[in-house]
Amino acid sequence: MTASSNGTSVSVWMDTASLPTYAPLPGDLDTEVCVIGAGIAGLTTAYLMAKEGRRVTVIDALGVGAGETGRTTAHLFPPDEWYTFIEDKFGAASARLVADSYARAIELVESIAKEIAAVDGIDCEFERLDGYLYALPGNGFQDLEKEYVSARRAGVAVELLPGVPGLPFDSGPAVRYANQAQFHPLKYLAGLARAIERHGGKIHGGTHAHRLRGNQQQQTVSTDHGEIRARHVVLATHTPFNDRVVMHTKQAGYRTYVVGLRVARGSLPRILLWDTGDPYYYVRLETPDPSMDHDILVVGGADHKTGQDDHPEHRYDEIERWTREHFPMAGAVAYRWSGEVMEPSDGLAYLGHNPMDDDNVYLITGDSGNGMTHCTIGAMLVTDLAAGRPNPYKSLYDPSRKPIHGLADFAHEQANTMARYGEWLTGGDVDRVEEIAAGEGAVVRDGLRKIAVYRDAQGGLHAVSAKCTHLGCAVHWNSAERSWDCPCHASRFDIEGNVLHGPAPEPLEKVELANDNTPPRGPRPGMRGRSAR
C-alpha cells in the first residue's frame, strides 16, 4: 500500500492490495504528456498514450491509488441518472451514445485486466455479472417501466422482472441489465502502473502540482519538486485545481459512505444491486480471500454535500441498519469507509478539453456515481483528442457545455454554496481551544478570522487557517476522516492543512497559537494589524 491516503478510514480494496510506490519528481523534466493524478483516470490515460508510443509522465500529490479510486465500490453499471433521465434531458440519440460509451469502457477494463493478468500475474478480479435496479412494492414501478423502455431503446440488453432473484427480501419490480461488471480497483491500478512502466512511461508520487501555464505548443506544470514541460497535460485529479470558478459552478462534491459486512460464501447471488429509494443504496459482493469461507457484502449510500455534516458517523449506522433489515444473514462489520463523488449538474461527466484553456489541456471530472466507468471513457476520449482523432463522445461529454439540462440542480447548488459564505459572520464551533477533546477538531473564531484546530491523542494542538485556499469558504471538521472539508467546492485538507482533495491549489496557512493555547489576538474592526485569514 501507499503510505499516504486522503482519509483515515480503510476500504476493503486498501486492505487487500499491494500498490507500487514511486519517488518524487527529481527535478525539472521535459516530456510529451504530463498526467496529473494517479487514480484510474490518470493511469488509464497514461497507459493508453504510452501504448501508442508517447512519452508519458504521471505525477500525484500522494501516490498511486491514494485518492478516490481506492474508496469506490467499483461497479461497472448503468449511469447514475439512468437512461430514462438521459433520454428526457438529452434525447434518444445521446442516450444511445451513453450506452455505447459505457459498453466500450467495460470492454476496455476487461481487456486491460486480461493483459495485466497474463503479463504481470496480477488478478484484479474482473467479473462479468448482471445488475439490477429495483423499486419496493408500490414505489416507482412506472419509473422502472419507463427506464426499461429507454434502456432498450438505447441498445442495452435489459429485462423487466417482477423481482430480483435470489434475494432474502421481496425487492418488487426490477430492471435487469445483462453483462455488467465489477473488479478490484486497486489491484487494477497496480497492474496499470506496471503496464505504464513496461511501455516506457514514468510515475512520480509525492509530487504536488500547484500551477499550470503555457500555450498551444507547450504547457508548464509547476510542482513542489520542479517544473514539467509537456506538449499535452491531462488533469485527472478528480476535480481540477487550475480552474478557479468555471467547472466548480457546474458540479458539486458529495461524501458517500460504505459498510462491508461478512456473509457466508454462497449465501447471496453475485450481482450488482441498486435501488430507487431516497436515500438510495447500492450493493455488491467482494471475495477478499478465496481460501476463506466468507465474502464481504459491500453496501454504500447515505450521501451528503461535502463539508456539511461535521459528525457523519451516524451514516454508517444507517447503512448497517438498512443492510441487516434486508440481509439478515449479514455478520460482523469488517470495513467502514467514505469517498468523494463529484456530481455534474446535468448528470453526465465532463471529459475532454478544459474550458477557457489551451486545446492541449484536458479534463476528466464529474464522475457522478460511475467513477470507474466515466474515468475509463475519459481516458479513451482524451487519448483520441491528443492524437487528433475524432471521437464519437466528444460533444456528449464536452466540459464546456452549458448546464441547460440541469438548471434546477445548478441553481440549487449555487444557492447552497453562496449561503456558506455567510458562515464568516457566525461564531466558531467552540469558544475556546480548551473545549476541543482529544482526537477532535473545531473551528475557533479569532476576531475577523477563524482558526481550524485539531487536538491529537497526546493533547498536542494543530492549528491552521479555516479559510479554504480555493475561493475562501470556511472549512468544517470531518470527524469520520479527521479532515477539514470545504462546504463550498469540496476541497479537503488533513490536520496539518495539506491538500487531500482539490480544487484547492495550496495548503491551509499554519497558525501559531499563544502559549496558553488560546488563539493569538487577530484584527478587530477599525484596528490595524494582521489581515484576516
Side-chain angles (χ1 to χ4, degrees):
M1 284 294 301
T2 51
S4 300
S5 181
N6 67 353
T8 59
S9 64
V10 176
S11 70
V12 63
W13 325 121
M14 298 161 70
D15 193 39
T16 56
S18 177
L19 289 168
T21 59
Y22 297 93
L25 185 74
D28 292 354
L29 177 72
D30 289 285
T31 189
E32 187 179 359
V33 181
C34 177
V35 177
I36 306 173
I40 187 172
L43 292 192
T44 306
T45 303
Y47 165 82
L48 293 176
M49 290 194 177
K51 197 172 183 182
E52 292 186 355
R54 294 180 179 272
R55 290 184 298 117
V56 179
T57 300
V58 181
I59 61 171
D60 193 282
L62 299 176
V64 170
E68 297 307 320
T69 301
R71 294 176 171 277
T72 179
T73 52
H75 292 65
L76 294 168
F77 197 53
D80 197 39
E81 286 286 302
W82 309 110
Y83 289 107
T84 180
F85 296 110
I86 292 173
E87 185 178 67
D88 286 346
K89 292 177 180 178
F90 296 92
S94 292
R96 286 193 293 272
L97 280 175
V98 170
D100 184 66
S101 68
Y102 271 55
R104 284 189 58 192
I106 296 176
E107 289 169 1
L108 178 60
V109 173
E110 183 174 28
S111 68
I112 292 174
K114 288 179 179 177
E115 177 189 330
I116 62 180
V119 178
D120 298 297
I122 298 175
D123 178 10
C124 69
E125 304 171 20
F126 180 90
E127 181 181 2
R128 289 276 189 172
L129 35 66
D130 290 340
Y132 294 84
L133 171 67
Y134 76 94
L136 295 175
N139 177 25
F141 176 76
Q142 186 174 358
D143 289 341
L144 279 184
E145 190 167 29
K146 186 177 179 181
E147 167 63 14
Y148 162 73
V149 172
S150 294
R152 188 174 181 182
R153 191 155 43 226
V156 181
V158 290
E159 185 179 5
L160 189 60
L161 301 175
V164 180
L167 294 182
F169 65 94
D170 178 13
S171 69
V175 177
R176 181 179 73 92
Y177 303 81
N179 215 23
Q180 304 302 298
Q182 67 180 29
F183 66 125
H184 190 303
L186 292 188
K187 290 181 180 179
Y188 184 71
L189 288 196
L192 273 176
R194 300 299 188 204
I196 290 166
E197 292 184 290
R198 191 166 60 249
H199 289 292
K202 298 185 181 301
I203 304 173
H204 296 285
T207 303
H208 174 61
H210 51 82
R211 186 184 176 196
L212 178 63
R213 67 188 189 278
N215 52 44
Q216 300 284 9
Q217 286 70 48
Q218 179 179 285
Q219 295 291 327
T220 299
V221 180
S222 298
T223 81
D224 44 6
H225 294 289
E227 292 192 334
I228 301 174
R229 292 171 292 273
R231 175 68 181 86
H232 302 276
V233 173
V234 182
L235 297 162
T237 53
H238 199 230
T239 188
F241 70 91
N242 67 317
D243 180 350
R244 297 287 286 179
V245 178
V246 177
M247 292 308 302
H248 308 297
T249 63
K250 298 197 290 187
Q251 61 180 358
Y254 282 76
R255 298 301 294 173
T256 189
Y257 296 83
V258 187
V259 175
L261 303 93
R262 293 188 178 192
V263 293
R265 181 77 46 81
S267 61
L268 289 171
R270 297 190 70 82
I271 60 174
L272 300 176
L273 190 65
W274 206 298
D275 71 18
T276 61
D278 185 15
Y280 65 90
Y281 296 93
Y282 44 98
V283 182
R284 64 164 284 187
L285 285 173
E286 164 62 8
T287 304
D289 186 345
S291 67
M292 303 294 284
D293 63 354
H294 68 272
D295 292 325
I296 298 296
L297 178 63
V298 177
V299 184
D303 300 6
H304 69 88
K305 282 289 293 289
T306 299
Q308 299 190 19
D309 188 344
D310 292 0
H311 297 282
E313 290 85 351
H314 66 94
R315 297 176 186 273
Y316 293 125
D317 298 335
E318 291 162 10
I319 295 173
E320 181 182 351
R321 183 164 53 251
W322 179 91
T323 303
R324 295 194 185 285
E325 289 174 356
H326 290 79
F327 300 92
M329 75 286 291
V333 172
Y335 299 96
R336 285 180 163 194
W337 75 90
S338 68
E340 191 94 348
V341 176
M342 299 307 298
E343 286 290 350
S345 295
D346 60 12
L348 293 185
Y350 298 112
L351 317 170
H353 293 295
N354 190 39
M356 300 178 68
D357 213 331
D358 298 306
D359 285 345
N360 53 353
V361 179
Y362 312 91
L363 187 64
I364 301 175
T365 190
D367 55 5
S368 189
N370 304 88
M372 301 300 96
T373 309
H374 279 150
C375 288
T376 304
I377 297 168
M380 294 188 292
L381 200 162
V382 165
T383 299
D384 282 346
L385 294 180
R389 294 189 294 262
N391 184 288
Y393 318 123
K394 177 182 177 181
S395 296
L396 179 70
Y397 295 113
D398 186 358
S400 66
R401 70 182 186 269
K402 305 298 182 184
I404 57 175
H405 300 295
L407 282 177
D409 288 340
F410 175 83
H412 172 76
E413 294 293 357
Q414 296 317 299
N416 177 281
T417 296
M418 293 307 297
R420 294 294 159 173
Y421 284 98
E423 294 177 1
W424 285 109
L425 303 176
T426 65
D429 301 324
V430 297
D431 292 330
R432 297 180 60 82
V433 171
E434 287 80 3
E435 299 176 48
I436 303 174
E440 288 293 333
V443 172
V444 182
R445 174 165 286 287
D446 175 43
L448 298 181
R449 69 178 179 172
K450 287 186 172 182
I451 302 173
V453 183
Y454 170 75
R455 186 184 296 277
D456 61 35
Q458 291 72 42
L461 297 174
H462 307 255
V464 292
S465 169
K467 185 178 181 180
C468 177
T469 56
H470 176 224
L471 289 177
C473 272
V475 298
H476 286 211
W477 176 241
N478 176 343
S479 61
E481 296 291 354
R482 291 194 177 93
S483 63
W484 296 107
D485 297 358
C486 176
C488 289
H489 302 105
S491 295
R492 299 181 60 240
F493 308 84
D494 68 15
I495 59 173
E496 302 295 345
N498 299 309
V499 178
L500 297 175
H501 184 277
E506 302 292 345
L508 298 175
E509 182 182 1
K510 295 280 189 180
V511 172
E512 291 293 333
L513 295 176
N515 291 334
D516 62 355
N517 289 340
T518 60
R521 289 184 63 82
R524 298 294 188 270
M527 297 178 63
R528 299 179 63 183
R530 294 187 305 272
S531 61
R533 299 298 183 194

